């Protein structure tokens, strides 16, 4: 399970160091094979390869063929397979870096079965105290959660 947020830096070559606490789990779960793609938010989504393949199968088997085609274009069409190198880094494809406005400071958020990679400024807007913050929506969501 992936959880927590980590402030990281993307180097000049577009590489991101995966936090050490996740590397062993990723090596065991998927031999360090990852897939990076776009999702519904203005960030990148990073999946262990087996989880991405499970989602691709789910999309392929959707009854709503129009939605499936949209998801294939957006989610599958921009996907890029990558591998964690010996230094624990992944190379972020230039096209996906441009899409997500990733250059320099970023935040990697664990999302149970995937990671979201946000530009730090956008992450601060989304999860901070500003007008674009999700704080009010999260408060409503917590009221529905049995805990």
């Amino acid at each position: 399970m992936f959880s927590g947020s980590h402030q990281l830096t993307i180097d000049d070559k577009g590489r991101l160091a995966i936090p050490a606490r996740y590397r062993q789990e990723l090596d065991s779960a998927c031999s360090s094979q990852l897939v990076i793609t776009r999702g519904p938010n203005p960030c990148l989504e990073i999946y262990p390869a087996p989880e991405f393949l499970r989602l691709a199968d789910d999309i392929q088997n959707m009854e709503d063929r129009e939605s499936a085609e949209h998801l294939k274009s957006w989610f599958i069409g921009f996907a890029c397979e990558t591998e964690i190198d010996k230094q624990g880094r992944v190379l972020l494809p230039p096209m996906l870096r441009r899409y997500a406005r990733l250059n320099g400071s970023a935040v990697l958020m664990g999302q149970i079965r995937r990671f979201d990679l946000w530009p730090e400024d956008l992450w601060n807007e989304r999860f901070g105290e500003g007008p674009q913050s999700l704080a009010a929506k999260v408060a409503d969501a917590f009221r529905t959660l049995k805990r």
Side-chain angles (χ1 to χ4, degrees):
M1 180 177 96
F2 308 120
S3 62
S5 296
H6 302 270
Q7 185 179 16
L8 304 170
T9 300
I10 298 167
D11 71 15
D12 292 340
K13 295 180 180 178
R15 297 175 300 196
L16 175 79
I18 299 295
R21 67 181 274 208
Y22 301 125
R23 291 181 201 162
Q24 181 61 42
E25 182 178 353
L26 289 167
D27 187 47
S28 297
C30 61
S31 301
S32 299
Q33 302 295 309
L34 303 175
V35 178
I36 304 171
T37 191
R38 294 164 62 162
N41 292 310
C43 65
L44 297 183
E45 295 184 355
I46 303 173
Y47 291 88
E51 178 66 13
F52 181 83
L53 292 173
R54 183 192 67 75
L55 289 169
D57 285 342
D58 288 351
I59 292 168
Q60 187 64 29
N61 294 323
M62 289 174 67
E63 289 184 27
D64 180 345
R65 295 313 309 152
E66 184 176 357
S67 292
E69 292 303 315
H70 292 312
L71 285 170
K72 284 196 294 188
S73 294
W74 188 266
F75 184 74
I76 306 296
F78 284 92
C80 180
E81 296 175 1
T82 190
E83 182 176 8
I84 300 173
D85 69 14
K86 291 178 182 173
Q87 287 77 38
R89 302 169 302 191
V90 294
L91 180 63
L92 303 171
M95 183 171 33
L96 290 174
R97 285 197 323 263
R98 281 191 302 275
Y99 160 76
R101 301 180 320 162
L102 287 164
N103 52 9
S105 296
V107 177
L108 186 72
M109 290 182 71
Q111 298 291 297
I112 302 173
R113 292 187 177 139
R114 70 166 197 269
F115 299 100
D116 285 351
L117 182 62
W118 292 83
E120 185 177 15
D121 60 339
L122 191 52
W123 184 87
N124 287 329
E125 284 178 24
R126 182 66 65 99
F127 302 102
E129 299 298 321
Q132 300 297 323
S133 175
L134 294 177
K137 292 178 183 176
V138 170
D140 289 341
F142 268 112
R143 282 191 276 284
T144 64
L145 180 66
K146 293 180 183 180
R147 39 183 195 146

